[in-house]
Amino acid sequence: MKVTCDSTEDFERYGRIVGRVIMFLRIATSIVLCWFLLERSLHERYKRFLGQKADSQKHVMDKTRKEFLTGRDFTASIISQVLELDKAISPAELQHLDEIRKFRNNIAHGLRKKLPERKDGESALRFTLTFVFGHIIPNARVNFWNDQQYPF
């Protein structure tokens, strides 16, 4: 595709378009990376959950059952539902996880639905910091970029 700029207005318009694409890519990348951390944390919590169930001796947790419960059929979506049912995560955390997972899936599978906006990226990062690192860094805060730095 060849793009020509016949005037200053064309150049400015193309610059704004490129700027928006760059901003979207930053947001999309942030959301995908947040989901990577969240999914890993979910799996760690799920392993602890299964360990607690096995240790309680109220449930039989033989090798076959453990392999089934940790196999590929148990997606992050299912795991988060199970953890919420057991009160290992809150309903609000489940809602955040679902929102971020849906954005990540949309990004990974073709952007057919709503594109994530800046506020979505910020929300994902805030939640990820709390969910993944809250036990290490209480009240984690982030200084987000401002419109002065990235005016597109």
Side-chain angles (χ1 to χ4, degrees):
M1 177 172 132
K2 183 177 180 182
V3 177
T4 59
C5 296
D6 297 326
S7 66
T8 303
E9 291 83 21
D10 285 346
F11 184 75
E12 289 174 0
R13 186 171 47 119
Y14 289 128
R16 283 191 300 276
I17 291 169
V18 168
R20 286 187 188 110
V21 169
I22 290 170
M23 182 61 75
F24 165 73
L25 291 174
R26 287 181 178 155
I27 293 167
T29 301
S30 295
I31 289 174
V32 169
L33 291 173
C34 284
W35 180 247
F36 170 78
L37 292 170
L38 290 167
E39 190 171 27
R40 184 176 177 134
S41 180
L42 268 176
H43 283 282
E44 289 171 3
R45 290 177 187 214
Y46 185 62
K47 283 180 185 176
R48 281 196 306 270
F49 162 79
L50 291 176
Q52 290 168 351
K53 296 299 178 191
D55 292 345
S56 74
Q57 298 180 354
K58 293 180 183 177
H59 305 278
V60 175
M61 192 66 69
D62 61 10
K63 182 180 176 185
T64 304
R65 188 175 209 185
K66 186 173 182 180
E67 286 175 359
F68 172 75
L69 292 172
T70 57
R72 58 182 242 160
D73 291 333
F74 276 76
T75 63
S77 178
I78 293 170
I79 288 170
S80 60
Q81 292 289 331
V82 168
L83 292 175
E84 193 276 335
L85 284 172
D86 195 60
K87 300 189 182 338
I89 64 172
S90 71
E93 288 174 320
L94 176 63
Q95 182 179 353
H96 281 294
L97 288 164
D98 283 346
E99 288 171 5
I100 296 166
R101 179 182 48 78
K102 287 175 184 175
F103 272 126
R104 180 266 171 209
N105 289 345
N106 186 35
I107 292 164
H109 300 293
L111 297 171
R112 293 187 181 95
K113 298 179 183 164
K114 180 184 177 239
L115 297 177
E117 298 173 6
R118 177 180 162 167
K119 65 180 173 54
D120 301 315
E122 291 175 358
S123 175
L125 186 52
R126 278 191 190 101
F127 176 73
T128 301
L129 284 172
T130 302
F131 190 81
V132 177
F133 301 110
H135 63 287
I136 300 169
I137 309 168
N139 302 316
R141 294 178 15 188
V142 175
N143 292 325
F144 293 105
W145 56 87
N146 61 42
D147 290 336
Q148 306 305 320
Q149 291 173 286
Y150 304 103
F152 23 81

